[in-house]
Amino acid sequence: DSGVTQTPKHLITATGQRVTLRCSPRSGDLSVYWYQQSLDQGLQFLIQYYNGEERAKGNILERFSAQQFPDLHSELNLSSLELGDSALYFCASSYRRDPLDGYTFGSGTRLTVV
Amino acid sequence: KNQVEQSPQSLIILEGKNCTLQCNYTVSPFSNLRWYKQDTGRGPVSLTIMTFSENTKSNGRYTATLDADTKQSSLHITASQLSDSASYICVVSALYGGTSYGKLTFGQGTILTVHP
């Protein structure tokens, strides 16, 4: 157990729908990062939050949004889902806002859009 | 454009054998380089992290090297085990304006399969 908790582990939904993925960072960590990993592709950085504020943005679609709450857990909202959004979504956390010393990944949420 | 290229794309070896995975990067200015192991369907787990001044770092049977001049890194696995079967991902961090902003560039990974 890495200490980073992601729920749900699996999610199956239809095109056009909206889903919310949840991440609880490791105890004491202030930064949360979201990544998308499509089949046979590398990890794509989506967005980072540090202590409740957006810190960095990657290749995140406008249909996707995220937030970090006062208790530091984070949610990734995916709307108007398309088949191509099917992927593993990983959350990672670190203590610092700049992960010089690396960060810890959760086990991921597998999203299947049908 | 910052890029990280890994080779080979996939590798099959027999249990007990050694292997070396390669990572070439064009990320600049360089901050640090990490190797992660990702089991199928699981989150990546950090193996090593190296900064500019480090040229080798070990973690058990895993040894990473870094040549900052040629912008190359390798991950050497000694006496492979079946549990080493996984994807190995090279991740390079860029340095901006005197602080490590943490902008990461991921390689596509090398899929290692260890057969008995």
Side-chain angles (χ1 to χ4, degrees):
Chain A
D1 181 9
S2 68
V4 179
T5 304
Q6 289 189 248
T7 58
K9 291 194 184 306
H10 302 277
L11 197 51
I12 301 176
T13 189
T15 54
Q17 295 298 305
R18 172 190 169 94
V19 297
T20 297
L21 312 183
R22 182 188 168 101
C23 169
S24 293
R26 203 176 46 166
S27 178
D29 284 356
L30 301 176
S31 272
V32 170
Y33 311 77
W34 286 98
Y35 288 86
Q36 179 192 56
Q37 187 176 39
S38 302
L39 190 64
D40 296 333
Q41 291 202 12
L43 286 156
Q44 299 291 325
F45 170 65
L46 295 178
I47 197 164
Q48 176 200 356
Y49 279 84
Y50 174 76
N51 206 20
E53 294 189 1
E54 184 182 302
R55 169 76 177 149
K57 223 169 188 176
N59 301 321
I60 188 167
L61 300 173
E62 285 191 13
R63 300 183 286 110
F64 297 179
S65 65
Q67 56 184 325
Q68 187 179 27
F69 295 87
D71 67 352
L72 301 177
H73 90 271
S74 178
E75 293 182 354
L76 179 66
N77 300 298
L78 315 177
S79 61
S80 303
L81 285 168
E82 303 174 358
L83 296 178
D85 296 328
S86 295
L88 270 167
Y89 290 84
F90 288 105
C91 165
S93 74
S94 69
Y95 173 68
R96 302 186 195 187
R97 64 181 181 182
D98 302 319
L100 250 185
D101 45 359
Y103 46 47
T104 304
F105 282 87
S107 296
T109 292
R110 181 175 294 280
L111 173 66
T112 303
V113 182
V114 297
Chain B
K1 181 183 176 183
N2 289 338
Q3 286 189 311
V4 175
E5 301 281 344
Q6 290 188 243
S7 62
Q9 195 171 22
S10 62
L11 182 62
I12 300 174
I13 62 173
L14 292 177
E15 187 178 13
K17 297 297 185 182
N18 303 336
C19 67
T20 300
L21 314 180
Q22 300 289 345
C23 172
N24 297 337
Y25 61 92
T26 59
V27 175
S28 182
F30 174 83
S31 175
N32 59 65
L33 183 147
R34 314 159 205 212
W35 283 94
Y36 283 89
K37 177 188 178 188
Q38 184 179 20
D39 293 316
T40 301
R42 307 290 297 272
V45 174
S46 179
L47 294 175
T48 63
I49 178 170
M50 288 183 292
T51 58
F52 184 88
S53 59
E54 298 172 296
N55 55 23
T56 186
K57 186 166 278 190
S58 292
N59 178 1
R61 295 180 296 102
Y62 301 102
T63 299
T65 64
L66 173 66
D67 186 333
D69 291 330
T70 61
K71 298 187 178 180
Q72 296 180 324
S73 176
S74 65
L75 180 68
H76 186 73
I77 304 175
T78 305
S80 61
Q81 300 176 358
L82 298 179
S83 59
D84 292 331
S85 295
S87 177
Y88 291 84
I89 304 169
C90 175
V91 183
V92 183
S93 179
L95 184 71
Y96 290 93
T99 63
S100 176
Y101 184 73
K103 184 172 173 68
L104 306 178
T105 304
F106 286 77
Q108 293 293 92
T110 291
I111 298 173
L112 174 66
T113 304
V114 181
H115 283 165

